[in-house]
Coordinates of all heavy atoms in Angstrom, one line a residue:
M1185 N 23.5 -27.2 -5.7 CA 24.7 -28.1 -6.0 C 25.6 -28.0 -4.9 O 25.9 -27.0 -4.4 CB 25.3 -27.5 -7.3 CG 26.6 -28.1 -7.7 SD 27.3 -27.3 -9.1 CE 29.0 -27.6 -8.8
K1186 N 26.2 -29.2 -4.6 CA 27.1 -29.2 -3.4 C 28.6 -29.1 -3.9 O 28.9 -29.6 -5.0 CB 27.1 -30.6 -2.9 CG 25.8 -30.9 -1.9 CD 26.1 -32.0 -1.0 CE 24.9 -32.0 0.0 NZ 23.9 -32.8 -0.5
H1187 N 29.2 -28.2 -3.3 CA 30.5 -27.9 -3.7 C 31.5 -28.4 -2.7 O 31.1 -28.6 -1.6 CB 30.7 -26.4 -3.8 CG 32.1 -25.9 -4.3 ND1 33.2 -25.9 -3.7 CD2 32.3 -25.5 -5.7 CE1 34.2 -25.4 -4.7 NE2 33.7 -25.3 -5.8
R1188 N 32.6 -28.8 -3.1 CA 33.6 -29.5 -2.3 C 33.9 -28.7 -1.2 O 34.2 -29.1 -0.2 CB 34.9 -29.7 -3.2 CG 36.0 -30.2 -2.4 CD 37.3 -30.6 -3.3 NE 36.9 -31.7 -4.2 CZ 37.9 -32.5 -4.6 NH1 39.1 -32.3 -4.2 NH2 37.5 -33.5 -5.4
R1189 N 34.0 -27.4 -1.1 CA 34.1 -26.5 0.0 C 33.1 -26.6 1.0 O 33.4 -26.2 2.2 CB 34.5 -25.0 -0.5 CG 35.8 -24.8 -1.0 CD 35.9 -23.3 -1.3 NE 35.0 -22.9 -2.2 CZ 34.8 -21.7 -2.7 NH1 35.8 -20.7 -2.4 NH2 33.8 -21.4 -3.5
S1190 N 32.0 -27.0 0.7 CA 30.9 -27.1 1.6 C 31.1 -28.2 2.6 O 30.4 -28.3 3.6 CB 29.6 -27.2 0.9 OG 29.5 -28.4 0.3
I1191 N 32.0 -29.0 2.3 CA 32.3 -30.2 3.3 C 33.5 -29.9 4.2 O 34.6 -29.5 3.8 CB 32.6 -31.5 2.4 CG1 31.5 -31.9 1.6 CG2 33.2 -32.5 3.4 CD1 31.8 -33.1 0.8
D1192 N 33.1 -30.0 5.4 CA 34.1 -29.6 6.4 C 34.9 -30.8 6.9 O 34.4 -31.7 7.5 CB 33.3 -29.1 7.7 CG 33.9 -27.9 8.3 OD1 34.8 -27.5 7.8 OD2 33.3 -27.6 9.3
L1193 N 36.0 -31.0 6.5 CA 36.7 -32.2 6.8 C 37.4 -32.1 8.3 O 37.8 -31.1 8.8 CB 38.0 -32.4 5.9 CG 37.7 -32.9 4.5 CD1 39.0 -33.1 3.8 CD2 36.9 -34.2 4.6
V1194 N 37.0 -33.1 8.9 CA 37.5 -33.2 10.3 C 38.7 -34.1 10.5 O 38.8 -35.1 9.9 CB 36.4 -33.5 11.3 CG1 35.4 -32.3 11.4 CG2 35.8 -34.8 11.0
D1195 N 39.4 -34.0 11.5 CA 40.5 -34.9 11.7 C 39.9 -36.1 12.3 O 39.0 -36.1 13.1 CB 41.5 -34.3 12.8 CG 42.8 -35.0 12.8 OD1 42.8 -36.1 13.2 OD2 43.8 -34.3 12.3
G1196 N 40.4 -37.2 11.7 CA 39.8 -38.6 12.1 C 39.7 -38.8 13.7 O 38.9 -39.2 14.3
C1197 N 40.9 -38.4 14.2 CA 41.0 -38.6 15.8 C 40.1 -37.7 16.6 O 39.8 -37.9 17.8 CB 42.4 -38.5 16.3 SG 43.6 -39.2 15.2
D1198 N 39.8 -36.6 16.0 CA 39.1 -35.5 16.7 C 37.7 -35.9 17.1 O 37.3 -36.0 18.2 CB 39.1 -34.3 15.7 CG 38.5 -33.2 16.4 OD1 38.7 -32.9 17.6 OD2 37.7 -32.4 15.8
A1199 N 36.9 -36.1 16.1 CA 35.4 -36.4 16.5 C 35.1 -37.9 16.3 O 34.3 -38.3 17.1 CB 34.5 -35.7 15.4
V1200 N 35.8 -38.7 15.6 CA 35.5 -40.0 15.5 C 36.8 -40.9 15.5 O 37.7 -40.4 15.0 CB 34.9 -40.3 14.1 CG1 34.6 -41.8 13.8 CG2 33.5 -39.5 13.9
E1201 N 36.8 -41.9 16.2 CA 37.9 -42.8 16.3 C 37.8 -43.9 15.1 O 36.9 -44.8 15.3 CB 38.0 -43.4 17.6 CG 38.2 -42.6 18.8 CD 38.4 -43.4 20.1 OE1 39.3 -44.2 20.2 OE2 37.6 -43.2 21.0
I1202 N 38.6 -43.7 14.2 CA 38.4 -44.5 13.0 C 38.8 -45.9 13.1 O 38.5 -46.8 12.4 CB 39.0 -43.9 11.7 CG1 40.5 -43.9 11.8 CG2 38.3 -42.6 11.4 CD1 41.2 -43.6 10.5
D1203 N 39.6 -46.2 14.3 CA 39.8 -47.6 14.5 C 38.7 -48.3 15.1 O 38.7 -49.5 15.2 CB 41.1 -47.9 15.3 CG 42.0 -46.7 15.7 OD1 41.9 -45.7 14.9 OD2 42.7 -46.8 16.6
R1204 N 37.9 -47.6 15.7 CA 36.7 -48.2 16.3 C 35.4 -48.2 15.5 O 34.7 -49.1 15.6 CB 36.4 -47.5 17.7 CG 37.5 -47.8 18.6 CD 37.0 -47.4 19.9 NE 38.2 -47.5 20.9 CZ 38.2 -47.1 22.1 NH1 37.1 -46.5 22.6 NH2 39.1 -47.1 22.9
E1205 N 35.2 -47.1 14.8 CA 34.0 -46.9 14.0 C 33.9 -47.9 12.8 O 35.1 -48.0 12.0 CB 33.8 -45.5 13.5 CG 33.8 -44.4 14.6 CD 32.3 -44.4 15.4 OE1 31.5 -45.1 14.8 OE2 32.2 -43.8 16.4
T1206 N 32.8 -48.4 12.5 CA 32.7 -49.1 11.2 C 31.6 -48.4 10.4 O 31.1 -47.3 10.9 CB 32.2 -50.5 11.5 OG1 30.8 -50.5 12.1 CG2 33.0 -51.2 12.5
L1207 N 31.3 -48.9 9.2 CA 30.4 -48.3 8.4 C 28.9 -48.4 9.0 O 28.1 -47.5 8.8 CB 30.3 -49.0 7.0 CG 31.5 -48.6 6.1 CD1 31.5 -49.6 4.9 CD2 31.6 -47.3 5.7
T1208 N 28.8 -49.3 10.0 CA 27.5 -49.5 10.7 C 27.4 -48.5 11.8 O 26.2 -47.8 11.9 CB 27.3 -50.8 11.4 OG1 27.6 -51.7 10.3 CG2 26.0 -51.1 11.8
T1209 N 28.4 -48.1 12.6 CA 28.3 -47.2 13.7 C 28.5 -45.7 13.2 O 28.2 -44.8 14.0 CB 29.4 -47.5 14.7 OG1 30.7 -47.5 14.2 CG2 29.1 -49.0 15.2
L1210 N 29.2 -45.5 12.1 CA 29.4 -44.1 11.7 C 28.0 -43.4 11.4 O 27.3 -43.8 10.6 CB 30.3 -44.1 10.5 CG 30.7 -42.7 10.1 CD1 31.7 -42.1 11.0 CD2 31.2 -42.8 8.6
P1211 N 27.9 -42.3 12.2 CA 26.6 -41.5 11.9 C 26.4 -41.2 10.5 O 27.4 -40.9 9.7 CB 26.8 -40.3 12.9 CG 27.7 -40.7 13.8 CD 28.7 -41.6 13.1
Q1212 N 25.2 -41.1 10.0 CA 24.8 -40.8 8.7 C 25.3 -39.6 8.1 O 25.4 -39.4 6.9 CB 23.4 -41.0 8.4 CG 22.9 -42.4 8.6 CD 23.2 -43.4 7.5 OE1 23.6 -42.9 6.5 NE2 23.5 -44.6 7.9
W1213 N 25.6 -38.6 9.0 CA 25.9 -37.2 8.5 C 27.3 -37.1 8.2 O 27.7 -36.1 7.7 CB 25.5 -36.1 9.4 CG 26.0 -36.3 10.8 CD1 27.2 -35.9 11.3 CD2 25.4 -36.8 12.0 NE1 27.4 -36.2 12.6 CE2 26.3 -36.7 13.0 CE3 24.2 -37.4 12.1 CZ2 25.9 -37.2 14.3 CZ3 23.7 -37.8 13.4 CH2 24.6 -37.8 14.4
Y1214 N 28.2 -38.2 8.3 CA 29.5 -38.1 7.9 C 29.6 -38.5 6.5 O 29.0 -39.6 6.0 CB 30.5 -39.1 8.7 CG 30.6 -38.4 10.1 CD1 30.1 -38.9 11.3 CD2 31.7 -37.3 10.2 CE1 30.4 -38.3 12.4 CE2 32.0 -36.8 11.4 CZ 31.3 -37.3 12.6 OH 31.5 -36.6 13.8
V1215 N 30.5 -37.9 5.6 CA 30.9 -38.4 4.3 C 32.4 -38.8 4.5 O 33.1 -38.3 5.2 CB 30.7 -37.3 3.3 CG1 29.2 -37.0 3.1 CG2 31.4 -36.0 3.7
I1216 N 32.6 -39.8 3.6 CA 34.0 -40.3 3.7 C 34.8 -39.9 2.5 O 34.3 -40.0 1.3 CB 33.8 -41.9 3.8 CG1 33.0 -42.3 4.9 CG2 35.3 -42.6 3.8 CD1 32.6 -43.7 5.0
H1217 N 36.1 -39.5 2.8 CA 36.9 -39.3 1.7 C 38.2 -40.1 2.0 O 38.6 -40.4 3.1 CB 37.5 -37.8 1.9 CG 36.4 -36.8 1.4 ND1 36.7 -35.8 0.5 CD2 35.2 -36.6 1.9 CE1 35.6 -35.1 0.3 NE2 34.7 -35.6 1.2
A1218 N 38.9 -40.4 0.9 CA 40.1 -41.3 0.9 C 41.3 -40.3 0.6 O 41.1 -39.5 -0.3 CB 40.1 -42.4 0.1
R1219 N 42.4 -40.4 1.3 CA 43.5 -39.7 1.0 C 44.7 -40.5 0.8 O 45.0 -41.4 1.7 CB 43.9 -38.6 2.1 CG 45.1 -37.7 1.7 CD 45.2 -36.5 2.6 NE 45.5 -37.0 3.9 CZ 45.5 -36.3 5.0 NH1 45.3 -35.0 4.8 NH2 45.8 -36.9 6.2
C1220 N 45.5 -40.3 -0.3 CA 46.7 -41.0 -0.5 C 47.9 -40.1 -0.2 O 48.0 -39.1 -0.6 CB 46.8 -41.3 -2.1 SG 48.4 -41.9 -2.7
P1221 N 48.7 -40.8 0.7 CA 49.9 -40.0 1.2 C 51.0 -39.9 0.1 O 51.9 -39.0 0.2 CB 50.5 -40.8 2.3 CG 50.0 -42.3 2.0 CD 48.7 -42.1 1.2
A1222 N 51.0 -40.7 -1.0 CA 52.0 -40.6 -1.9 C 51.8 -39.5 -2.9 O 52.7 -38.8 -3.2 CB 52.1 -42.0 -2.7
C1223 N 50.5 -39.3 -3.5 CA 50.3 -38.2 -4.3 C 49.2 -37.2 -3.9 O 48.9 -36.2 -4.5 CB 49.7 -38.8 -5.7 SG 48.0 -39.4 -5.5
Q1224 N 49.0 -37.2 -2.6 CA 48.0 -36.3 -1.9 C 46.7 -36.2 -2.5 O 46.1 -35.2 -2.4 CB 48.7 -34.9 -2.0 CG 50.1 -34.8 -1.4 CD 50.1 -35.3 0.1 OE1 49.3 -34.8 0.9 NE2 51.1 -36.1 0.5
R1225 N 46.3 -37.1 -3.4 CA 45.0 -37.2 -3.9 C 43.9 -37.5 -2.8 O 44.1 -38.2 -2.0 CB 44.9 -38.3 -4.9 CG 43.7 -38.3 -5.9 CD 43.8 -39.5 -6.6 NE 42.6 -39.7 -7.5 CZ 42.6 -39.2 -8.8 NH1 43.5 -38.6 -9.2 NH2 41.5 -39.3 -9.5
Q1226 N 42.9 -36.6 -3.1 CA 41.8 -36.9 -2.1 C 40.5 -37.1 -2.7 O 40.1 -36.2 -3.6 CB 41.7 -35.7 -1.1 CG 41.0 -35.8 0.1 CD 41.4 -34.7 1.1 OE1 42.5 -34.4 1.5 NE2 40.3 -34.0 1.4
T1227 N 39.8 -38.1 -2.5 CA 38.6 -38.6 -3.3 C 37.4 -38.8 -2.4 O 37.6 -39.6 -1.4 CB 38.9 -39.8 -4.1 OG1 40.2 -39.6 -4.7 CG2 37.9 -39.8 -5.2
P1228 N 36.2 -38.3 -2.6 CA 35.1 -38.7 -1.9 C 34.7 -40.1 -2.3 O 34.8 -40.4 -3.4 CB 34.0 -37.7 -2.2 CG 34.5 -37.0 -3.5 CD 36.0 -37.2 -3.5
I1229 N 34.3 -40.9 -1.2 CA 33.9 -42.2 -1.6 C 32.6 -42.6 -1.0 O 32.3 -42.1 0.1 CB 34.9 -43.3 -0.9 CG1 36.4 -43.0 -1.3 CG2 34.5 -44.8 -1.4 CD1 37.2 -44.1 -0.7
D1230 N 31.7 -43.1 -1.6 CA 30.4 -43.4 -1.2 C 30.5 -44.5 -0.1 O 31.1 -45.5 -0.4 CB 29.5 -43.8 -2.5 CG 28.1 -44.1 -1.9 OD1 27.4 -43.2 -1.6 OD2 27.6 -45.3 -2.1
R1231 N 29.8 -44.3 1.0 CA 29.8 -45.3 2.0 C 29.2 -46.6 1.7 O 29.6 -47.7 2.2 CB 29.3 -44.7 3.3 CG 27.9 -44.4 3.2 CD 27.5 -43.5 4.5 NE 27.5 -44.3 5.6 CZ 27.5 -43.8 6.9 NH1 27.7 -42.4 7.0 NH2 27.5 -44.5 7.9
H1232 N 28.2 -46.5 0.8 CA 27.6 -47.8 0.4 C 28.5 -48.6 -0.5 O 28.5 -49.9 -0.4 CB 26.2 -47.5 -0.2 CG 25.3 -46.8 0.6 ND1 24.6 -47.3 1.6 CD2 24.9 -45.5 0.6 CE1 24.0 -46.5 2.4 NE2 24.0 -45.2 1.7
T1233 N 29.3 -48.0 -1.3 CA 30.3 -48.7 -2.1 C 31.3 -49.4 -1.2 O 31.6 -50.5 -1.5 CB 30.9 -47.6 -2.9 OG1 30.1 -46.9 -3.7 CG2 31.9 -48.4 -4.0
L1234 N 31.7 -48.6 0.0 CA 32.7 -49.3 0.9 C 32.0 -50.5 1.5 O 32.7 -51.6 1.6 CB 33.2 -48.3 1.8 CG 33.9 -47.2 1.4 CD1 34.3 -46.1 2.5 CD2 35.4 -47.6 0.9
A1235 N 30.8 -50.4 1.8 CA 30.2 -51.5 2.6 C 30.2 -52.7 1.7 O 30.2 -53.8 2.1 CB 28.8 -51.0 3.2
Y1236 N 29.8 -52.4 0.5 CA 29.7 -53.5 -0.5 C 31.0 -54.2 -0.7 O 31.1 -55.4 -0.8 CB 29.0 -52.9 -1.8 CG 28.9 -54.0 -2.9 CD1 27.9 -54.9 -2.8 CD2 29.7 -54.0 -4.0 CE1 27.8 -55.9 -3.8 CE2 29.8 -54.9 -4.9 CZ 28.7 -55.9 -4.9 OH 28.5 -56.9 -5.9
R1237 N 32.0 -53.4 -0.8 CA 33.3 -53.9 -1.1 C 34.0 -54.6 0.1 O 34.8 -55.5 0.0 CB 34.3 -52.8 -1.6 CG 34.0 -52.5 -3.1 CD 34.9 -51.5 -3.6 NE 36.3 -51.8 -3.6 CZ 37.2 -50.9 -3.7 NH1 37.1 -49.7 -4.1 NH2 38.5 -51.4 -3.7
F1238 N 33.8 -53.9 1.2 CA 34.6 -54.4 2.5 C 33.8 -54.9 3.6 O 34.4 -55.4 4.5 CB 35.4 -53.2 2.9 CG 36.5 -52.7 1.9 CD1 36.1 -51.5 1.3 CD2 37.6 -53.3 1.7 CE1 37.1 -51.0 0.4 CE2 38.6 -52.8 0.8 CZ 38.2 -51.6 0.1
G1239 N 32.5 -54.9 3.5 CA 31.6 -55.3 4.5 C 31.4 -54.2 5.6 O 32.2 -53.3 5.6
R1240 N 30.4 -54.3 6.3 CA 30.0 -53.1 7.3 C 30.7 -53.3 8.6 O 30.5 -52.4 9.5 CB 28.5 -53.4 7.5 CG 27.7 -53.1 6.3 CD 26.2 -53.1 6.5 NE 25.4 -52.8 5.2 CZ 25.3 -51.6 4.8 NH1 25.7 -50.5 5.6 NH2 24.7 -51.3 3.7
H1241 N 31.5 -54.4 8.9 CA 31.9 -54.5 10.2 C 33.5 -54.4 10.2 O 34.1 -54.7 11.3 CB 31.5 -55.9 10.7 CG 30.1 -56.0 10.7 ND1 29.2 -55.3 11.7 CD2 29.2 -56.8 10.0 CE1 28.0 -55.6 11.4 NE2 27.8 -56.6 10.4
L1242 N 34.1 -53.9 9.2 CA 35.5 -53.6 9.3 C 35.7 -52.1 9.7 O 34.9 -51.3 9.4 CB 35.9 -53.8 7.8 CG 37.5 -54.1 7.6 CD1 37.8 -55.4 8.3 CD2 37.7 -54.2 6.1
S1243 N 36.6 -51.9 10.6 CA 36.9 -50.6 11.1 C 37.3 -49.7 9.9 O 37.8 -50.2 8.9 CB 37.9 -50.5 12.2 OG 39.2 -50.7 11.6
L1244 N 37.0 -48.4 10.2 CA 37.3 -47.5 9.0 C 38.8 -47.4 8.8 O 39.2 -47.2 7.7 CB 36.8 -46.0 9.3 CG 35.3 -46.0 9.5 CD1 34.8 -44.7 9.9 CD2 34.5 -46.4 8.3
A1245 N 39.6 -47.6 9.8 CA 41.0 -47.5 9.6 C 41.5 -48.6 8.8 O 42.4 -48.5 7.9 CB 41.7 -47.6 11.0
R1246 N 40.9 -49.8 9.0 CA 41.4 -50.9 8.1 C 40.9 -50.9 6.8 O 41.5 -51.4 5.9 CB 40.8 -52.3 8.9 CG 41.4 -52.3 10.2 CD 41.1 -53.8 10.7 NE 41.7 -54.9 10.0 CZ 41.5 -56.2 10.2 NH1 40.7 -56.5 11.1 NH2 42.1 -57.1 9.4
I1247 N 39.7 -50.3 6.5 CA 39.2 -50.1 5.2 C 40.3 -49.2 4.5 O 40.6 -49.5 3.3 CB 37.8 -49.4 5.2 CG1 36.8 -50.5 5.7 CG2 37.5 -49.0 3.8 CD1 35.3 -50.0 5.8
G1248 N 40.6 -48.2 5.2 CA 41.6 -47.2 4.5 C 42.9 -47.9 4.1 O 43.4 -47.6 3.0
S1249 N 43.3 -48.7 5.0 CA 44.5 -49.5 4.7 C 44.5 -50.4 3.5 O 45.4 -51.0 3.0 CB 45.1 -50.1 5.9 OG 44.3 -51.2 6.2
R1250 N 43.3 -50.8 3.1 CA 43.0 -51.7 2.0 C 42.8 -51.0 0.6 O 42.5 -51.8 -0.4 CB 41.8 -52.6 2.3 CG 42.1 -53.5 3.5 CD 40.9 -54.5 3.7 NE 41.3 -55.3 4.8 CZ 40.8 -56.5 5.0 NH1 39.8 -56.9 4.1 NH2 41.1 -57.2 6.0
L1251 N 42.6 -49.7 0.7 CA 42.3 -49.0 -0.5 C 43.5 -48.8 -1.3 O 44.7 -48.8 -1.1 CB 41.8 -47.6 -0.3 CG 40.4 -47.6 0.6 CD1 40.1 -46.1 1.1 CD2 39.3 -48.0 -0.3
K1252 N 43.1 -48.6 -2.7 CA 44.2 -48.5 -3.7 C 44.0 -47.1 -4.2 O 42.8 -46.8 -4.7 CB 44.2 -49.5 -4.6 CG 45.2 -49.3 -5.7 CD 45.1 -50.4 -7.0 CE 45.9 -50.0 -8.1 NZ 45.6 -50.9 -9.2
C1253 N 44.9 -46.2 -4.4 CA 44.8 -45.0 -5.0 C 44.5 -45.0 -6.4 O 45.1 -45.7 -7.2 CB 46.0 -44.1 -4.6 SG 46.0 -42.4 -5.5
S1254 N 43.3 -44.3 -6.8 CA 43.0 -44.4 -8.2 C 43.9 -43.4 -9.1 O 43.9 -43.4 -10.3 CB 41.5 -43.9 -8.3 OG 41.3 -42.7 -7.8
G1255 N 44.8 -42.7 -8.3 CA 45.6 -41.8 -9.1 C 46.9 -42.4 -9.4 O 47.3 -42.5 -10.6
C1256 N 47.6 -42.9 -8.5 CA 49.0 -43.4 -8.6 C 49.1 -44.9 -8.3 O 50.2 -45.5 -8.6 CB 50.0 -42.7 -7.7 SG 49.8 -43.0 -6.0
G1257 N 48.0 -45.5 -7.9 CA 48.1 -46.9 -7.6 C 48.6 -47.4 -6.2 O 48.8 -48.6 -5.9
N1258 N 49.0 -46.4 -5.5 CA 49.6 -46.6 -4.1 C 48.5 -47.4 -3.2 O 47.4 -47.1 -3.2 CB 49.9 -45.3 -3.4 CG 50.4 -45.6 -2.0 OD1 51.3 -46.4 -1.7 ND2 49.7 -44.8 -1.2
R1259 N 49.1 -48.4 -2.5 CA 48.3 -49.0 -1.6 C 48.7 -48.9 -0.1 O 48.2 -49.6 0.8 CB 48.4 -50.6 -1.9 CG 47.6 -51.0 -3.1 CD 47.9 -52.5 -3.4 NE 47.3 -53.0 -4.7 CZ 46.1 -53.4 -4.8 NH1 45.4 -53.5 -3.6 NH2 45.6 -53.8 -5.8
N1260 N 49.8 -48.2 0.0 CA 50.3 -48.1 1.5 C 49.9 -46.8 2.1 O 50.2 -45.7 1.5 CB 51.9 -48.2 1.4 CG 52.3 -49.6 0.9 OD1 51.8 -50.5 1.3 ND2 53.3 -49.5 0.0
G1261 N 49.4 -46.9 3.3 CA 49.1 -45.7 4.2 C 48.1 -44.9 3.7 O 47.9 -43.7 4.2
N1262 N 47.2 -45.4 3.0 CA 46.0 -44.7 2.5 C 45.1 -44.4 3.8 O 44.9 -45.4 4.6 CB 45.2 -45.4 1.4 CG 46.0 -45.3 0.1 OD1 46.5 -44.3 -0.3 ND2 45.8 -46.4 -0.6
Q1263 N 44.4 -43.3 3.8 CA 43.7 -42.9 5.0 C 42.3 -42.6 4.6 O 42.0 -42.0 3.5 CB 44.3 -41.7 5.7 CG 45.6 -42.0 6.4 CD 46.1 -40.7 7.1 OE1 46.0 -39.7 6.5 NE2 46.2 -40.8 8.4
L1264 N 41.3 -42.8 5.6 CA 40.0 -42.4 5.4 C 39.9 -41.1 6.1 O 40.3 -40.9 7.3 CB 39.0 -43.3 5.8 CG 38.8 -44.6 5.0 CD1 37.6 -45.4 5.5 CD2 38.5 -44.1 3.5
L1265 N 39.3 -40.1 5.6 CA 38.9 -38.8 6.3 C 37.4 -38.7 6.3 O 36.7 -39.1 5.4 CB 39.5 -37.6 5.4 CG 41.0 -37.6 5.2 CD1 41.3 -36.4 4.4 CD2 41.7 -37.4 6.6
L1266 N 37.0 -38.0 7.4 CA 35.5 -37.9 7.6 C 35.2 -36.4 7.4 O 35.8 -35.6 8.0 CB 35.2 -38.4 8.9 CG 35.5 -39.9 9.1 CD1 35.2 -40.2 10.5 CD2 34.7 -40.8 8.2
G1267 N 34.1 -36.3 6.8 CA 33.7 -34.8 6.6 C 32.1 -34.7 7.1 O 31.5 -35.9 7.1
R1268 N 31.8 -33.7 7.5 CA 30.4 -33.5 7.9 C 29.6 -32.8 6.8 O 30.0 -31.9 6.2 CB 30.2 -32.7 9.2 CG 30.2 -33.6 10.4 CD 30.1 -32.7 11.5 NE 31.4 -31.9 11.8 CZ 32.0 -32.0 12.9 NH1 31.5 -32.5 14.0 NH2 33.1 -31.3 13.1
L1269 N 28.5 -33.3 6.6 CA 27.5 -32.7 5.6 C 27.1 -31.4 6.2 O 26.8 -31.4 7.4 CB 26.3 -33.6 5.2 CG 26.6 -34.8 4.4 CD1 25.4 -35.6 4.2 CD2 27.2 -34.4 3.1
P1270 N 27.0 -30.4 5.4 CA 26.4 -29.1 5.9 C 24.9 -29.4 6.3 O 24.2 -30.0 5.6 CB 26.6 -28.1 4.8 CG 26.8 -29.0 3.6 CD 27.3 -30.3 4.0
R1271 N 24.5 -28.7 7.4 CA 23.1 -28.9 7.7 C 22.4 -27.7 7.0 O 22.7 -26.5 7.1 CB 23.0 -28.7 9.2 CG 23.7 -29.8 9.9 CD 23.3 -29.8 11.4 NE 24.0 -30.9 12.0 CZ 23.8 -31.2 13.3 NH1 23.2 -30.5 14.0 NH2 24.6 -32.1 13.9
D1272 N 21.3 -28.2 6.4 CA 20.4 -27.2 5.7 C 19.5 -26.5 6.6 O 19.0 -27.1 7.6 CB 19.7 -27.7 4.6 CG 20.7 -28.3 3.6 OD1 21.7 -27.7 3.1 OD2 20.5 -29.4 2.9
Ligands
ZN2409 ZN1 48.1 -41.6 -5.0

């Protein structure tokens, strides 16, 4: 069973430039989380769901800005965070 702690969140600017990467270019071993600056909610999002909703050629930064927080409904300043799946 995968536990939330097993995902190592990295800073977006550190490993991946989210204004350049799209769902197509992002390596498969990254998992995507969304973070809401208003309520600090952080939720993992399936990349296929994102691709279906926003298309594969939108940058990750732009996808983040289009998300709506499922906790408080905030639409401003939402960010995507990237995590790496642990290697088995
Ligand atoms: Zn929120």
Side-chain angles (χ1 to χ4, degrees):
M1185 173 184 154
K1186 287 203 172 85
H1187 192 275
R1188 176 174 289 213
R1189 274 186 309 187
S1190 68
I1191 294 174
D1192 221 6
L1193 286 179
V1194 294
D1195 199 291
C1197 313
D1198 184 41
V1200 174
E1201 295 187 60
I1202 64 167
D1203 348 338
R1204 292 197 187 166
E1205 298 283 349
T1206 67
L1207 292 167
T1208 308
T1209 61
L1210 186 71
Q1212 290 295 326
W1213 57 83
Y1214 283 105
V1215 290
I1216 302 172
H1217 289 234
R1219 184 171 62 188
C1220 169
C1223 69
Q1224 307 299 316
R1225 187 185 180 93
Q1226 201 165 296
T1227 318
I1229 308 183
D1230 180 66
R1231 60 194 291 159
H1232 300 292
T1233 305
L1234 287 177
Y1236 178 75
R1237 284 179 58 190
F1238 299 104
R1240 294 182 178 279
H1241 302 292
L1242 205 58
S1243 73
L1244 299 178
R1246 294 190 66 182
I1247 289 175
S1249 69
R1250 291 178 181 211
L1251 293 173
K1252 179 184 168 189
C1253 175
S1254 56
C1256 70
N1258 170 55
R1259 288 172 182 273
N1260 296 317
N1262 291 320
Q1263 288 183 309
L1264 290 185
L1265 301 174
L1266 301 172
R1268 264 182 288 234
L1269 290 174
R1271 297 192 181 178
D1272 294 321

